[in-house]
Amino acid sequence: MKALAAPHSQNSLADVVLLQRLEGLVALAGAVAAYGWLGQSWIVFALLFMAPDLFMLGYLGGKSTGALVYNLGHTYAVPAVLVLIGLAGGGTWLFGLATIWIAHIGFDRMLGYGLKLGDFKQTHLSRS
């Protein structure tokens, strides 16, 4: 039986992986711009930019736990909660932390690193 051809070429704007990579670039650029607008320390930005990758340590508890912990640290939901807490009077430092976190997630998506599907190498951006 002949395999069905993919409906869109890999380099087409209709390609969902390419769209998600572009979305990551936009999130990264927007977060960096917001951080600059906040006027917070670029040294802190540099020091914390890779901090969300510490969620990889969840894999010490196995594939299932690792994917859950890693994915929690690599969704926009947690930094969004930080923004809400900041809006409720939690302090502008929370906005800075949230923008660093969003920048990291955007950077990962731009590079093609997605949410984990159990196995560390398989992500929602992987092509089968």
Side-chain angles (χ1 to χ4, degrees):
M1 179 179 266
K2 189 175 181 180
L4 296 174
H8 305 290
S9 75
Q10 290 181 343
N11 295 322
S12 160
L13 273 181
D15 178 24
V16 295
V17 173
L18 176 61
L19 287 173
Q20 289 187 20
R21 284 181 175 216
L22 290 172
E23 181 180 62
L25 174 63
V26 170
L28 170 62
V32 169
Y35 193 82
W37 181 80
L38 289 168
Q40 295 189 12
S41 169
W42 287 105
I43 293 171
V44 170
F45 185 95
L47 290 173
L48 295 180
F49 184 73
M50 297 304 289
D53 281 341
L54 292 172
F55 284 90
M56 277 190 252
L57 294 173
Y59 278 94
L60 295 173
K63 286 183 182 181
S64 180
T65 301
L68 173 67
V69 171
Y70 181 89
N71 290 343
L72 284 173
H74 285 82
T75 64
Y76 294 110
V78 178
V81 168
L82 292 178
V83 168
L84 292 175
I85 294 170
L87 288 172
T92 57
W93 67 274
L94 287 172
F95 293 119
L97 185 59
T99 58
I100 295 167
W101 205 330
I102 291 167
H104 174 87
I105 296 168
F107 181 71
D108 275 4
R109 297 290 192 284
M110 180 188 72
L111 295 178
Y113 300 117
L115 299 175
K116 305 305 179 190
L117 301 175
D119 180 340
F120 187 77
K121 292 182 181 184
Q122 224 179 14
T123 75
H124 83 286
L125 294 176
S126 299
R127 286 201 169 97
S128 307

